[in-house]
Amino acid sequence: GGIEDSVDGGIDDWDDPDGTDDCSDELDHVASLERAAHTTLHLVQELKSSTAEVTSLTSVHKPDVNTTNTGDTKSSTADAAASSSSTAALPNLRAPLPDDTDKAQFLMKLAPRIRRLEADTVRALTARLEEVLGQMKSRKDDERESGTGGDGGGGSNSSAANGAVTATSGTIGTDSAAEERDLLMIGHCLRGLALLGRGKEAEGAFARVAIM
């Protein structure tokens, strides 16, 4: 009996008449968006460091020649040629090896895709945040409208109120679970936007929902 009940309960959970699987899928999707924000942040930071590395290397290898005086230019060129020839003849074994810029150059080639990934992640997080905020606002408005009623009627009004409380008592747990899920999704969205430094987008989502 217990095994059959557990199996039947598992089948009922998979059938999911109340849509709990859809709710968990939405929560998983928002959590994946936050993980995408972590990955995007790492890629953006790597891209910035690679750009700085390549820029510093190109600036170091530029010849520093003073072109204001022709005589100084010729002498500096001759000194550079003499030093290069002496260096070629006697290599300095203590000199550091040249930096490997293959990774930096590879990431710089991926810069457009990384920036597009960043924009898409921010747009997805903002859209989902606005959607969840709108759902919470609609639910609060429905609760406010259902909770307001006329003050007249005396005993009939109290009987109607008692009936309304009895009718809505079964939905309290559902509403609280939905609100808890929405708060979790809002937290994922806000953390993802904060990671990418996009607080303005979060403020815009709150403002758009507030004036709806």
Side-chain angles (χ1 to χ4, degrees), residues 40 43-44 47 107 110-119:
T40 304
L43 290 174
V44 170
L47 177 61
L107 285 174
L110 295 178
R113 294 186 178 183
I114 294 175
R115 293 301 181 185
R116 186 166 61 249
L117 174 63
E118 181 184 12

Side-chain angles (χ1 to χ4, degrees), residues 14-192:
W14 280 107
D15 290 337
D16 192 25
D18 297 331
T20 54
D21 281 348
D22 294 337
C23 296
S24 62
D25 289 342
E26 290 181 1
L27 186 59
D28 291 340
H29 177 66
V30 178
S32 67
L33 288 178
E34 183 184 356
R35 290 193 295 270
H38 279 276
T39 304
T40 304
L41 175 64
H42 176 71
L43 290 174
V44 170
Q45 290 176 343
E46 288 290 331
L47 177 61
K48 290 181 179 179
S49 62
S50 299
T51 304
E53 179 182 354
V54 173
T55 303
S56 64
L57 288 177
T58 54
S59 62
V60 166
H61 291 298
K62 285 183 179 179
D64 188 11
V65 178
N66 185 10
T67 57
T68 56
N69 192 334
T70 305
D72 294 341
T73 302
K74 292 181 179 178
S75 60
S76 62
T77 304
D79 293 339
S83 62
S84 62
S85 62
S86 62
T87 304
L90 298 174
N92 186 5
L93 298 179
R94 295 183 179 180
L97 295 174
D99 295 331
D100 186 8
T101 60
D102 291 341
K103 177 183 175 182
Q105 292 177 359
F106 176 73
L107 285 174
M108 290 182 66
K109 290 180 181 178
L110 295 178
R113 294 186 178 183
I114 294 175
R115 293 301 181 185
R116 186 166 61 249
L117 174 63
E118 181 184 12
D120 291 343
T121 304
V122 171
R123 183 164 54 251
L125 285 168
T126 305
R128 182 49 64 97
L129 175 62
E130 189 172 347
E131 180 183 356
V132 176
L133 290 174
Q135 292 175 357
M136 291 188 67
K137 185 175 184 297
S138 299
R139 189 166 56 251
K140 293 296 183 182
D141 293 340
D142 294 340
E143 292 176 358
R144 190 179 300 109
E145 291 177 359
S146 63
T148 58
D151 294 335
S156 62
N157 188 25
S158 62
S159 299
N162 292 331
V165 170
T166 303
T168 57
S169 61
T171 62
I172 295 177
T174 305
D175 292 340
S176 62
E179 184 174 0
E180 182 179 357
R181 185 186 67 252
D182 290 344
L183 291 175
L184 287 174
M185 290 193 289
I186 290 174
H188 285 302
C189 293
L190 291 178
R191 283 192 295 270

